[in-house]
């Protein structure tokens, strides 16, 4: 679509608009349907424009702030001990037993 003229791009949209207006007029048999259709289209386009403006005005969060937030969340997270005591590199916990005699 990059090389096509603007008129060729707008032709299907114009056809769709005329078809919708004709259906709105024939369906209700009066001008009330056309006014309701126009009001709905205006409200929809206003909502789309407002959401686009709000999305563009939202401040960008710098990456350093994101890293800091992740680091802070990591520090707040409770530590859960590993569930496998026989995992590689871990010493086996000693069983409770008698106290060892020490030299006095």
């Amino acid at each position: 679509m990059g090389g096509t003229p603007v008129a060729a791009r707008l032709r299907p949209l114009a056809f769709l608009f005329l078809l919708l207006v004709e259906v709105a007029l024939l369906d209700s048999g009066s001008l009330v349907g056309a006014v309701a259709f126009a009001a709905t289209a205006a409200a929809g386009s206003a909502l789309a424009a407002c959401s686009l403006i709000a999305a563009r005005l939202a401040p960008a969060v710098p990456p350093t702030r994101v890293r800091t937030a992740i680091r802070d969340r990591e520090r707040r997270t409770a530590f859960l001990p590993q569930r496998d005591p026989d995992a590689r590199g871990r010493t086996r916990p000693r069983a409770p037993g008698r106290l060892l005699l020490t030299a006095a």
Side-chain angles (χ1 to χ4, degrees):
M1 281 183 104
T4 58
V6 176
R9 283 189 230 160
L10 292 179
R11 199 171 293 145
L13 292 176
F15 176 73
L16 181 63
F17 177 73
L18 289 175
L19 182 68
L20 288 175
V21 169
E22 182 178 339
V23 167
L25 287 175
L26 288 178
D27 187 31
S28 66
S30 67
L31 192 60
V32 175
V35 171
F37 175 73
T40 305
S45 61
L47 180 65
C50 288
S51 64
L52 180 66
I53 291 171
R56 289 181 180 253
L57 291 179
V61 177
T64 55
R65 185 157 186 167
V66 173
R67 281 192 301 257
T68 305
I70 291 172
R71 190 179 325 120
D72 290 345
R73 184 182 310 141
E74 181 181 329
R75 288 180 184 159
R76 286 191 309 263
T77 304
F79 174 76
L80 295 175
Q82 293 183 358
R83 300 204 184 268
D84 186 10
D86 293 327
R88 190 169 156 156
R90 292 180 52 102
T91 58
R92 182 90 175 137
R94 295 181 52 91
R98 289 185 291 146
L99 293 175
L100 297 174
L101 297 175
T102 57

